[in-house]
Each structure stands twice: as structure tokens, then as C-alpha cells.
Amino acid sequence: MGIGTVRAQAGDDAAERRREQHGWYFYDWACSVYSTSVLTVFLGPYLTSVARAAADPDGFVHPLGVPVRAGSFFAYCVSASVVVAIVVMPVAGAAADRTGRRKPLLAAAAYTGAAATTGLFFLDGHRYLLGGLLLIVANASVAVSMVLYNSYLPQIAPPEERDAVSSRGWAFGYAAGSLVLVANLVLFTAHDSFGVSEATAVRICLASAGLWWGVFTLVPLRRLRDRRAPAAAVPRARGWRQLAATVRDMRDRPLTLAFLLAYLVYNDGIQTVISQASVYGSEELGLGQSTLITAVLMVQVLAVAGALGMGRLARTYGAKRTILGSLIAWTATLAAGFFLPARAPVWFFVLAAGIGLVLGGSQALSRSLFSHLVPPGKEAEYFSAYEMSDRGMSWLGPLLFGVTYQLTGSYRDAIVSLVAFFVTGFVLLARVPVGRAIRDAGNPVPDRI
């Protein structure tokens, strides 16, 4: 084979890799609108208001006969969705590795979540149980889909590209969230001009996120390609047995487990802030829905710059040091949130700016750093464990938030309790020698890590 032929083949491979990467970015573009418009902005305050409308004189609802303070119902539903995801994710991850057919599984998870999200249009009156059920299905579905989506990263990006590719994916997601939130803000603030009530405007915003998710999922489904795993790497076990086998395999790579533990802890804090910030703003600080939408829009815009900027910082300082710096910023920002005065939008915007600058980068770099710790041929099963740390184990934060509020009646106490996740995560991550962890996984160590 001549030099020219080799170069042409390399060029074709690079072009095909870029095509897949661009398609991969679009799943972040598709599903991040759910995380932004539904989970972060609208559903928490709206489902809480529906639950309060259905509550007894003491402020409690009674799902399945269990007394639950209406203000805690949303947080408990988020925790319940994670329990469902924990059951399903190992099955999906093992099936992906066993068959090599990630795309059909990704499509099933994505469209189940998109349908449940679209169904939130029917959440009104006293239908808090309907809202809770659809939230559980949608949130579990997005978690399962992310197992499959993230497992493509080692296949479509060589080690030296992963920080940049992962950061661009997060940037795409936050850009989509910003775009849709602008439309949501217009509809919500001018709902009278459109001839709909405020509640109907919220329901339209919720449903539109599901439609967006479904439509743009078509792009990655067209561009990504499935790859059969080598026969020796195909797992023989299934579902929970495969998860147990993966954990046993990780025992031979204790540093990978150490990273996952650190990530489990600090990401639990991140996910809880994302899901509960609007509830804190509306219920504790007395801020209106328009203020909350504007603040989250600011987070989305700054998160695009933050994800790309932290990706560049990682080239100079390495992913681990950059993540550690972001955890310090998270701790300071969240602690400051405890002291925010009520009905003071300007200070809430300052808090939102701080969150936006570290949100995308801390998540994107964690994903790319973990991709270096995955043994070749075991992407989906390892990312199943990762996703359980990402979303699957993120029930502790919402549960702590909900229980703290239930016991104290104060959202300030609930929000400040989350600082412990970032401090503990920092300490655990700082102790992980990631260079040695990458070598133990059988992968080349990048110049900066």
C-alpha cells in the first residue's frame, strides 16, 4: 500500500470520525432541553404547586397512603426515578456490550423519555401523582440513554481529543437549553398575548421539551454507527449479573473505583443543585417564574463558555486539577447561596453566574477523564457503572434535601447541607493518582491529565 493510499485512508477515517462526533454532539443538543426546561426550571415549582393544591389542611399529600409534605414531593420523585434507573441501566449496558447494537437501545430509552416528557402537558388540577409518575419515567429514561451515549466517547475520539470532544458535547447541550429557554421565557411572560393561562404556558413548555428531545435524537441515530465488540470482550453475564461482574473486574483496578467514588459524591451535589435550584428560588427566596427562567438562561449561556473554557484549561493544567478547581468554586458558590436575601433577583443572578461558569466544565471533564479509565472493549458496562455514579446514585442529594426540608421547614438549611458533597468529593478526588489509573486500565496516558 503506497504512502498516498495510506494518507487517503487516514483522511477518510478522520472525516468519518468527525461525522460521528458531530452526530454525537446532537444527543446532548436533544436531551439537555429536558434537563434545563423540565427538571431545572418548570417542573419543580409547578409540580410542587399541583401537590399543594391536592394537599390536606396540614400541607401533606398521601401517595400510596404515605404522608409526604407537598414541598418535598418533587425531590422524592427525583430520588425514586434514580432507583428505577439503577435497575434498568445495568441491563441496558450489558445488552449494548453483548450485541454491539447501541443505537436501538439508545432510541428506545430516548423516545420513552421524550414521550413521558410530552405527556406532562396533561399535568394540571390535582394530578400530582400523574406528574410524579411521568417525572420518574422521563428521568430514568434520560439516565439510561446517557449510559449508551457516553459509551460512544472512547470509540469516536482518540485519547488526545476526548477532553475537547466531551466539552463540545456539553456546550451543544447548554446552547440548546439557552435557545429553548428564550422561547419559553417569551411564551411564559407574554402568555396573555398568546391567549393562554400561565399554567397552560408552563404545560406547553414542558411538552415542547419532549418534542425537541424526540426530533433531534434522529441526528445521532443517523450518524453514529454500531461496532461489534471482540468476542473475547463480549460479556457473558446479563443485567445485574453483568454489573456484579463489572464491579469484580474493577477490583483489579481499584483506582478506577476510587475515581468513581469521588465522582459519585461530588456529582450528587451537582445534580441536586440542578434539580432543586428553582424550588429554592421560588419557595425560599420568593422569586417569580420569569426571574427563575432568566437565571437559568444565564446559567446555560455561561455554561457554554465555561465548558469550552475549562476544556482549554485542562490542556494546560490537566483535567484532574481543573476539576478540583471547579469543586472549590462550587463550594464557595453554594455556601454563598445560603445567605442570599429574599426577593433580591440581582444576587440570585450573581449566584447563577457562578454556577454557570463551573457547571458544564466539571461534568464534561469528569466524563472525558473517566473514558481514559475504561478498558478497551468494555465501554458500555463501565459507563453503566459511571452513569450510576452520575445519575443513578444521585438520589442521596435530593433525599437529603427533601428530608432536611421536611424536618426543618427551611430550604436554606436544605441547600447548605449540599456543601458536604463538594468538600468530600474534593478530598476523595485529590487522592486518586489518575496517571497510574489510566495505565492500570491498559490505556496510553495523555501528556496532560
Side-chain angles (χ1 to χ4, degrees):
M1 184 179 295
I3 295 177
T5 303
V6 172
R7 288 177 177 173
Q9 181 63 47
D12 291 343
D13 291 345
E16 176 61 24
R17 187 171 71 247
R18 286 193 296 272
R19 173 180 169 81
E20 283 197 90
Q21 289 173 0
H22 292 157
W24 187 80
Y25 300 150
F26 265 93
Y27 192 68
D28 256 318
W29 176 274
C31 73
S32 292
V33 170
Y34 163 80
S35 298
T36 302
S37 290
V38 177
L39 197 61
T40 305
V41 178
F42 287 107
L43 189 54
Y46 185 65
L47 181 56
T48 299
S49 70
V50 172
R52 285 203 165 119
D56 62 23
D58 295 324
F60 286 82
V61 290
H62 300 268
L64 303 178
V66 178
V68 173
R69 192 186 291 270
S72 296
F73 180 71
F74 172 71
Y76 289 153
C77 287
V78 173
S79 292
S81 72
V82 174
V83 174
V84 175
I86 288 173
V87 174
V88 180
M89 284 191 296
V91 178
D97 280 336
R98 186 176 66 254
T99 66
R101 293 175 57 81
R102 287 172 170 78
K103 284 204 293 185
L105 296 168
L106 176 61
Y111 285 108
T112 298
T117 304
T118 305
L120 289 170
F121 178 79
F122 301 102
L123 174 60
D124 61 357
H126 292 179
R127 297 178 179 175
Y128 75 96
L129 286 176
L130 173 66
L133 176 62
L134 293 176
L135 167 60
I136 291 169
V137 172
N139 219 39
S141 295
V142 76
V144 173
S145 73
M146 292 302 289
V147 169
L148 304 159
Y149 167 68
N150 286 337
S151 69
Y152 276 102
L153 181 58
Q155 297 183 349
I156 65 173
E160 66 274 9
E161 293 183 4
R162 287 182 199 165
D163 286 347
V165 170
S166 184
S167 295
R168 288 189 198 115
W170 282 105
F172 262 63
Y174 287 118
S178 301
L179 180 64
V180 173
L181 268 184
V182 169
N184 291 160
L185 184 60
V186 170
L187 175 61
F188 182 82
T189 56
H191 59 84
D192 288 334
S193 301
F194 290 99
V196 298
S197 67
E198 182 178 292
T200 301
V202 171
R203 289 162 50 215
I204 292 173
C205 292
L206 293 171
S208 66
L211 295 175
W212 179 284
W213 187 358
V215 169
F216 284 104
T217 294
L218 294 173
V219 179
L221 292 180
R222 285 178 62 87
R223 293 199 171 188
L224 292 171
R225 61 186 179 91
D226 286 330
R227 298 163 174 83
R228 293 288 299 183
V234 174
R236 298 179 180 274
R238 302 187 179 189
W240 276 94
R241 290 183 180 179
Q242 177 55 40
L243 179 62
T246 301
V247 172
R248 286 195 298 270
D249 186 67
M250 284 185 178
R251 289 178 183 174
D252 296 330
R253 300 173 180 85
L255 298 180
T256 298
L257 278 175
F259 173 83
L260 276 178
L261 176 61
Y263 182 68
L264 182 155
V265 173
Y266 70 74
N267 186 67
D268 204 344
I270 293 174
Q271 295 298 326
T272 307
V273 172
I274 291 172
S275 65
Q276 305 300 324
S278 288
V279 175
Y280 179 68
S282 63
E283 300 296 324
E284 183 67 37
L285 303 182
L287 302 176
Q289 192 74 59
S290 296
T291 298
L292 298 177
I293 296 173
T294 303
V296 174
L297 178 59
M298 179 186 298
V299 169
Q300 300 302 299
V301 172
L302 291 175
V304 174
L308 297 176
M310 287 182 64
R312 293 190 176 187
L313 285 175
R315 297 178 193 172
T316 302
Y317 301 103
K320 177 184 174 181
R321 289 181 181 177
T322 307
I323 295 169
L324 289 173
S326 76
L327 296 182
I328 294 174
W330 270 109
T331 301
T333 302
L334 198 60
F338 176 82
F339 298 101
L340 287 184
R343 296 176 179 83
V346 172
W347 288 110
F348 192 71
F349 291 150
V350 172
L351 183 73
I355 291 174
L357 289 173
V358 295
L359 176 59
S362 55
Q363 293 176 313
L365 293 177
S366 297
R367 177 170 65 185
S368 62
L369 181 56
F370 181 74
S371 73
H372 294 286
L373 308 180
V374 177
K378 298 185 177 182
E379 291 85 5
E381 61 171 292
Y382 267 64
F383 267 107
S384 177
Y386 175 84
E387 195 65 26
M388 292 182 72
S389 298
D390 187 351
R391 297 172 193 266
M393 294 301 290
S394 294
W395 55 272
L396 290 172
L399 181 62
L400 176 62
F401 189 94
V403 168
T404 302
Y405 176 76
Q406 177 135 349
L407 294 176
T408 67
S410 170
Y411 282 107
R412 291 186 187 273
D413 293 337
I415 202 73
V416 80
S417 68
L418 304 179
V419 168
F421 290 96
F422 296 102
V423 174
T424 305
F426 179 95
V427 172
L428 293 174
L429 179 59
R431 296 169 59 87
V432 179
V434 293
R436 184 148 55 93
I438 294 171
R439 285 192 293 272
D440 289 350
N443 293 318
V445 181
D447 293 334
R448 293 287 184 180
I449 196 65

